Amino acid sequence: MHIRLIVGLGNPGPEYEQTRHNAGFWLVDNLANSLPGCHLQRESRFQAMVAKTSIGGKDVWLLEPLTFMNRSGQSVGALARFFKVAPEEILVVHDELDLPPGAAKLKRGGSSGGHNGLKDITSALGTQDYWRLRLGIGHPRTLGLQQAVADFVLHRPRREEQTLIEEAIDKALRIIPMVCEGKMNAATMQLHTDAP
């Protein structure tokens, strides 16, 4: 079993581009830019930016839903059904409040942890049994901020947090070829022990 679909979560539009909730988009954008001839293009039938590419010798779809976060499952479900991609062949990249900026973790299954994008994807796929790449953005309480969570995720990170998030994305990008080859244990071990 290997990953055939990498989904980056975020909200479309310039006003959201730099916000913490768009960390999944940031990773997929960086990934697409690092692959020769890989260009995300608007695909109306999936309501998403989509690219087909090859990573680790495997055909892989990249997807950024344009439905807004809480309807992400519409895009993911539509592409997965159309190309017969099983839930365990899907990797969803998203911002994670429960991890500090600079942390990145890979896991399969589990609850949405209150993340509306994951909730909608779980609903669309009918299962929680897909892979997640969690990019830490920190929590307003642990970062000493008085913001409400909904407000926090829709603001841009402070400069030092941005640097840490970008380092985590770089670490995560290094394991993507292993993930696409199905070497999940090796990828997890490298990501969780890789020093920034």
Side-chain angles (χ1 to χ4, degrees), residues 24-131:
F25 276 10
W26 300 345
L27 183 137
V28 170
D29 286 339
N30 281 320
L31 178 59
N33 291 337
S34 73
L35 297 165
C38 181
H39 304 289
L40 289 157
Q41 294 181 327
R42 185 181 289 268
E43 182 65 73
S44 57
R45 65 184 158 161
F46 304 129
Q47 299 179 67
M49 299 296 287
V50 178
K52 188 174 187 192
T53 187
S54 178
I55 304 173
K58 305 284 186 190
D59 286 341
V60 181
W61 290 96
L62 305 183
L63 178 83
E64 292 180 353
L66 295 176
T67 52
F68 288 96
M69 185 65 82
N70 59 357
R71 307 300 314 143
S72 300
Q74 291 179 355
S75 297
V76 177
L79 188 138
R81 283 189 299 275
F82 192 83
F83 293 111
K84 298 181 172 52
V85 179
E88 61 271 23
E89 297 173 318
I90 299 172
L91 175 69
V92 177
V93 187
H94 65 92
D95 58 306
E96 177 58 71
L97 287 159
D98 294 335
L99 293 174
K105 299 275 184 203
L106 188 64
K107 76 169 196 171
R108 180 171 167 178
S111 81
S112 64
H115 194 291
N116 289 332
L118 295 180
K119 270 187 211 164
D120 200 58
I121 290 168
T122 296
S123 171
L125 297 176
T127 179
Q128 298 180 337
D129 195 28
Y130 52 91
W131 287 88

